[in-house]
C-alpha cells in the first residue's frame, strides 16, 4: 500500500472546535489522495481483521462506508454471513438518528442526500444498542490514547455513551490516521478502546 502520511498542522493556539476542523480538513485531504484501486485492495484484509476483532460476538453495530472511508460494504455482508446480527444507522421519523437490522446489500437505500445507504424495515431507537457486543465506528483520526475525531456531526459521541460498558468499541481507520499527537477533545467526546487497521487491530495505549 502506498503511504499517504497525514501531516497534522499545529492547532495549539486554536480553541477545541476550530482545532478539530483544521485537523479534519488535513485528514480529509489526505484521504482524498488515496486511489479507489488502493482502497479496494484493502477490502479483503479489512474483512479478515474486523472479523477477527469481532470474534465470537453475536450482535454487532457498524456503519456503511461512503466516499474515502475505510470500506465496509463487504464487511457488512461477511458479518451476517458468519451468522451474526448487524445493526446499521438509519434515519427515523423527523430525521431522528436511529438503527435498523442489515438484511443484505439489496435492502440498502439512500434515503436522504449526502447520507450513507441505510437498511429498510423497522426503525429502532438507541435502546437496540443494549444488545450490541461490538461496535465498529468511523473516525478520521485516532490518538494513541483513544481520542477520536469523527466527521463532526457528534452522533457517534452520543452513541458511544449509550452502549453497554462491556461492549468493545473499535474505530476503523487507515494506518496513517492512528497518530501520536494529542488530539483536541471536549466534554462530549468519548475515547475508543481499539483501532482496526487493514491488517491488524489492537487496543489503544
Amino acid at each position: 500500500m502506498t503511504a499517504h502520511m497525514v501531516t497534522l498542522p499545529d492547532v495549539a493556539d486554536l480553541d477545541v472546535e476550530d482545532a478539530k476542523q483544521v485537523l479534519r480538513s488535513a485528514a480529509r485531504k489526505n484521504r482524498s489522495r488515496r486511489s479507489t484501486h488502493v482502497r479496494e485492495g484493502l477490502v479483503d484484509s479489512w474483512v479478515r481483521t474486523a472479523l477477527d476483532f469481532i470474534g465470537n460476538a453475536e450482535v454487532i453495530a457498524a456503519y456503511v462506508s461512503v466516499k474515502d472511508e475505510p470500506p465496509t460494504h463487504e464487511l457488512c455482508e461477511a458479518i451476517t454471513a458468519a451468522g451474526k446480527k448487524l445493526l446499521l444507522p438509519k434515519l427515523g421519523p423527523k430525521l431522528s438518528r436511529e438503527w435498523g437490522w442489515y438484511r443484505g446489500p439489496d435492502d440498502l437505500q439512500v434515503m436522504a442526500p449526502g447520507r450513507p445507504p441505510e437498511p429498510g424495515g423497522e426503525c429502532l431507537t438507541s435502546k437496540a444498542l443494549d444488545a450490541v457486543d461490538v461496535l465498529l465506528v468511523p473516525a478520521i483520526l485516532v490518538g494513541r490514547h483513544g481520542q477520536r475525531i469523527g466527521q463532526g456531526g457528534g452522533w457517534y459521541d452520543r452513541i458511544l455513551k449509550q452502549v453497554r460498558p462491556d461492549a468493545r468499541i473499535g474505530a476503523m481507520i487507515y494506518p496513517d490516521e492512528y497518530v501520536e499527537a494529542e488530539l483536541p477533545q471536549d466534554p462530549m467526546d468519548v475515547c475508543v478502546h481499539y483501532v482496526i487497521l487493514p491488517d491488524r487491530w489492537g487496543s489503544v495505549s
Side-chain angles (χ1 to χ4, degrees):
M1 179 180 70
T2 302
H4 297 266
M5 297 305 295
V6 179
T7 301
L8 296 181
D10 184 359
V11 296
D13 294 333
L14 301 178
D15 64 33
V16 170
E17 285 309 310
D18 287 345
K20 287 182 179 180
Q21 284 299 99
V22 169
L23 293 175
R24 284 189 190 105
S25 178
R28 287 170 179 152
K29 184 176 181 179
N30 180 67
R31 279 191 172 181
S32 72
R33 293 197 290 261
R34 188 174 283 106
S35 70
T36 300
H37 174 74
V38 168
R39 287 197 304 275
E40 290 177 348
L42 298 173
V43 168
D44 290 344
S45 294
W46 234 317
V47 167
R48 289 191 297 270
T49 301
L51 288 179
D52 183 61
F53 174 73
I54 289 167
N56 294 325
E58 296 184 356
V59 183
I60 317 302
Y63 66 99
V64 180
S65 59
V66 294
K67 298 181 180 178
D68 302 327
E69 290 183 321
T72 65
H73 290 253
E74 290 82 356
L75 175 59
C76 288
E77 190 67 6
I79 288 171
T80 53
K84 305 174 188 299
K85 298 179 71 175
L86 176 61
L87 279 172
L88 295 174
K90 178 178 173 64
L91 281 180
K94 299 181 180 179
L95 301 182
S96 61
R97 305 290 185 90
E98 299 188 352
W99 297 87
W101 294 112
Y102 179 69
R103 301 185 297 187
D106 294 339
D107 185 51
L108 295 177
Q109 51 191 315
V110 176
M111 300 299 292
R115 285 279 304 167
E118 58 189 71
E122 180 184 5
C123 288
L124 305 172
T125 69
S126 58
K127 185 69 176 173
L129 295 171
D130 290 348
V132 167
D133 305 305
V134 171
L135 182 66
L136 306 179
V137 300
I140 199 161
L141 291 169
V142 175
R144 294 293 168 178
H145 301 294
Q147 312 101 315
R148 172 186 170 273
I149 291 184
Q151 295 288 0
W155 188 57
Y156 277 96
D157 290 310
R158 292 189 290 273
I159 290 304
L160 294 178
K161 293 177 178 175
Q162 296 174 309
V163 296
R164 298 195 326 255
D166 63 333
R168 304 173 76 213
I169 301 168
M172 291 186 62
I173 53 173
Y174 294 98
D176 48 287
E177 296 168 348
Y178 186 29
V179 298
E180 294 286 352
E182 289 289 332
L183 299 178
Q185 301 279 273
D186 61 40
M188 271 294 294
D189 293 321
V190 178
C191 290
V192 295
H193 307 154
Y194 301 90
V195 289
I196 304 169
L197 309 177
D199 61 344
R200 63 194 185 280
W201 62 269
S203 61
V204 298
S205 57

